[in-house]
Amino acid sequence: MTPVRQKHAAVKTVSVSGMKPVLHMTGLVLLSMSGIMLFPMLVDVFYGSRDWQAFAASAVVTALIGSTLLYGSRGSLKAGFTLRQAFVLTPTSWFGVSAVSAMPFFFSEYGVVSGSLANSFFESVSGITTTGATVISNLERAPPGLLMWRALLQWVGGIGIIATAIAILPALGIGGMQLFRTESSDRSEKAMPRVRQIAMTIGSVYIGLTVTATLVYWLCGMRLFDAIAHALTSIATGGYSTSDLSFGAWNTNGIQWFAALFMLSGTVPFVLYVRFIAGDYRAFWDRQIRTLMIFLAVVVGSLGSWLALSGQYGVEESFRHAAFNVVSVVTTTGFATTDYTLWGNAVIGIFFGLTFVGGCTGSTSGGIKIFRFEVLAVMLRGHFLRLIYPRGVFPRFYGERPLDSDVVGSVIAFFAVFFLCYSALTIALMGFGLDFLTSASGAATAVANVGPGLGAIIGPAGNFGPLPDGAKWLLSLGMLLGRLELFTVLVLFIPRFWRG
């Protein structure tokens, strides 16, 4: 090939036909979503709500879009996926699901979402990204199908992000996730040789945890409908509730303690469930889990002791509120038992910091993730040791595995881009006239996929409904960015990415 032709090949752009596998997979996902819409439709029919029509119309439109994409891209999966196509598929499929999932809210006859594109899309994105921020108030009066749809969105988004975190992000090397490429495949494949078996086992565990949570909530005093909805959102670490008071509306038979356990079960790497079922009974003695549990124990113990000693609650109530709300924020679920912003300015600062932490990789939780803080700690330790012993050699290990420069660089880049996006979103929200606390906590809770923010408007006792539409669009973008680990979306804006 001549130099001229080589140069021409270097700048060749990606063709439409090259994206057909992406369209094909997106079509399959949309067809699946159209089928899922039938469940809340039947719920509305059962309860006699006219909102079933919104789900019927949305299911038909979604099925038509999905079928069109499938027909136009038939036969395109024979060659598999390239790296570039995998990058495009992730945001395309998540945005497509968010868009079609907004239709039932838009067509609904209920409240603030009816006929509002900004509110409907915000609620849909918040659901599918398992963020849990809401624009809807008076949830007790909302149509049952709409409440079930919100819960189902979070449940589907939870299993979706598990699949993305295990199958896609490690291969793309996003934010240090390549560290788990071998761990999530080799160890699992030794236990169960085929990928399909791993996927089926994870799906079975996910369903099993959801059914267990439903039964426990029901036996603890919830109506069966509420128990199902909260079980779906607990395991998905989503946080959508059927009451404006969230879990503060239920406090019988230890239900809040059980809810904290179920939230924790969703923030565990689901690959570990596969290994445990296959006979590795030390699977949960995992570095991420140990670090998370120690961190939670310190924060809950300190906060619970302070609440008890300050006389705000009794001993059991102090530790229950502390445990539930700290676990809820760290796992990025977003449930609440009370308005913890009334506990004092210091506590507000603590919860603001907890917003960024997140759970384990390969789970349903969002946030920065525990393993990145561990990698950062290893890197800082080595740096300080080199300051003391300039000629010393200090290998970097994560558990028993060496940390190469590629992983460390990816983690540092993630921290930099995360806080850059967070800062930009905070400033942009302030441009809509919002105060600093609302803007800063709103940006944090969106990018970290937590749910409630801080302050009088979007705090645990409020919602995002009063915000300007422009702010809701920005927050929707922030939620998608955070859920997809930032780079999978931002890389699409680099012109070189689209060149062959």
Side-chain angles (χ1 to χ4, degrees), residues 45-63:
V45 170
F46 179 79
Y47 283 97
S49 171
R50 294 192 304 172
D51 247 26
W52 69 268
Q53 300 171 71
F55 289 103
S58 301
V60 170
V61 173
T62 302

Side-chain angles (χ1 to χ4, degrees), residues 303 306 339-355 437 441 453-456 460:
L303 184 56
W306 182 82
D339 187 357
Y340 45 77
T341 61
L342 301 178
W343 294 349
N345 290 332
V347 176
I348 292 176
I350 291 172
F351 275 97
F352 181 72
L354 293 177
T355 300
L437 182 59
S441 65
L454 298 170

Side-chain angles (χ1 to χ4, degrees), residues 27-51:
L28 285 174
V29 172
L30 295 187
L31 274 180
S32 300
M33 292 304 298
S34 69
I36 295 172
M37 289 177 184
L38 299 179
F39 183 72
M41 182 193 75
L42 294 175
V43 170
D44 270 336
V45 170
F46 179 79
Y47 283 97
S49 171
R50 294 192 304 172
D51 247 26

Side-chain angles (χ1 to χ4, degrees), residues 429-436 438-439 457 467-468 471:
L429 291 173
M430 293 182 70
F432 286 96
L434 301 176
D435 62 272
F436 176 75
T438 300
S439 301
I457 303 175
L467 299 186

Side-chain angles (χ1 to χ4, degrees), residues 215-232:
L215 293 174
V216 170
Y217 290 159
W218 182 49
L219 292 173
C220 286
M222 275 189 178
R223 292 186 309 156
L224 183 58
F225 177 87
D226 295 323
I228 295 172
H230 285 88
L232 292 170

Side-chain angles (χ1 to χ4, degrees), residues 412-424:
I412 294 174
F414 182 88
F415 271 101
V417 173
F418 184 96
F419 284 105
L420 181 64
C421 291
Y422 161 70
S423 301

Side-chain angles (χ1 to χ4, degrees), residues 55-408:
F55 289 103
S58 301
V60 170
V61 173
T62 302
L64 287 174
I65 296 173
S67 299
T68 301
L69 292 176
L70 283 178
Y71 181 78
S73 59
R74 58 192 184 279
S76 60
L77 289 182
K78 294 179 180 178
F81 277 91
T82 65
L83 182 65
R84 183 179 285 106
Q85 290 167 342
F87 265 113
V88 176
L89 172 64
T90 306
T92 299
S93 58
W94 281 79
F95 181 84
V97 169
S98 300
V100 299
S101 299
M103 288 192 290
F105 296 110
F106 185 83
F107 294 141
S108 171
E109 298 181 356
Y110 185 73
V112 68
V113 292
S114 179
S116 172
L117 190 58
N119 287 343
S120 298
F121 189 73
F122 179 94
E123 197 76 9
S124 173
V125 170
S126 182
I128 203 66
T129 59
T130 72
T131 302
T134 184
V135 297
I136 302 177
S137 56
N138 297 319
L139 289 169
E140 291 85 354
R141 301 175 60 184
L146 202 66
L147 294 176
M148 189 57 66
W149 177 236
R150 295 164 80 243
L152 278 170
L153 277 180
Q154 295 200 322
W155 194 79
V156 170
I159 192 67
I161 199 59
I162 291 171
T164 302
I166 292 175
I168 298 178
L169 297 182
L172 301 182
I174 299 297
M177 292 287 283
Q178 62 266 41
L179 179 65
F180 300 96
R181 185 184 303 164
T182 302
E183 181 173 332
S184 64
S185 58
D186 286 356
R187 294 188 182 182
S188 299
E189 288 171 6
K190 288 176 184 177
M192 293 186 172
R194 292 180 296 178
V195 174
R196 181 173 296 180
Q197 283 183 299
I198 299 171
M200 290 179 63
T201 303
I202 289 177
S204 300
V205 169
Y206 196 67
I207 294 171
L209 288 172
T210 306
V211 172
T212 302
T214 299
L215 293 174
V216 170
Y217 290 159
W218 182 49
L219 292 173
C220 286
M222 275 189 178
R223 292 186 309 156
L224 183 58
F225 177 87
D226 295 323
I228 295 172
H230 285 88
L232 292 170
T233 56
S234 295
I235 304 304
T237 61
Y240 272 156
S241 178
T242 58
S243 170
D244 287 341
L245 297 176
S246 189
F247 255 89
W250 295 275
N251 181 27
T252 57
N253 303 320
I255 190 172
Q256 293 175 359
W257 288 108
F258 284 117
L261 290 175
F262 286 124
M263 287 187 281
L264 285 174
S265 71
T267 201
V268 170
F270 272 70
V271 169
L272 300 184
Y273 286 109
V274 177
R275 290 168 50 193
F276 182 82
I277 291 172
D280 183 0
Y281 299 118
R282 290 178 55 85
F284 292 109
W285 189 248
D286 180 79
R287 175 165 180 162
Q288 284 192 87
I289 297 177
R290 295 200 308 269
T291 303
L292 177 63
M293 293 306 170
I294 292 171
F295 176 75
L296 289 174
V298 171
V299 177
V300 171
S302 301
L303 184 56
S305 299
W306 182 82
L307 289 174
L309 292 173
S310 63
Q312 296 197 45
Y313 304 102
V315 175
E316 188 276 337
E317 195 174 9
S318 294
F319 282 94
R320 172 164 47 83
H321 283 311
F324 185 98
N325 292 289
V326 167
V327 168
S328 180
V329 172
V330 171
T331 62
T332 70
T333 306
F335 286 136
T337 56
T338 186
D339 187 357
Y340 45 77
T341 61
L342 301 178
W343 294 349
N345 290 332
V347 176
I348 292 176
I350 291 172
F351 275 97
F352 181 72
L354 293 177
T355 300
F356 296 98
V357 177
C360 301
T361 186
S363 70
T364 61
S365 62
I368 292 176
K369 301 292 193 305
I370 288 295
F371 91 91
R372 293 194 177 102
F373 287 103
E374 292 180 302
V375 171
L376 184 64
V378 171
M379 183 194 69
L380 289 175
R381 177 182 177 275
H383 181 71
F384 285 129
L385 287 174
R386 281 192 297 273
L387 290 176
I388 301 172
Y389 307 103
R391 296 183 180 180
V393 177
F394 306 100
R396 297 174 298 196
F397 286 89
Y398 180 83
E400 299 177 354
R401 305 186 60 187
L403 282 175
D404 57 38
S405 57
D406 184 38
V407 172
V408 173

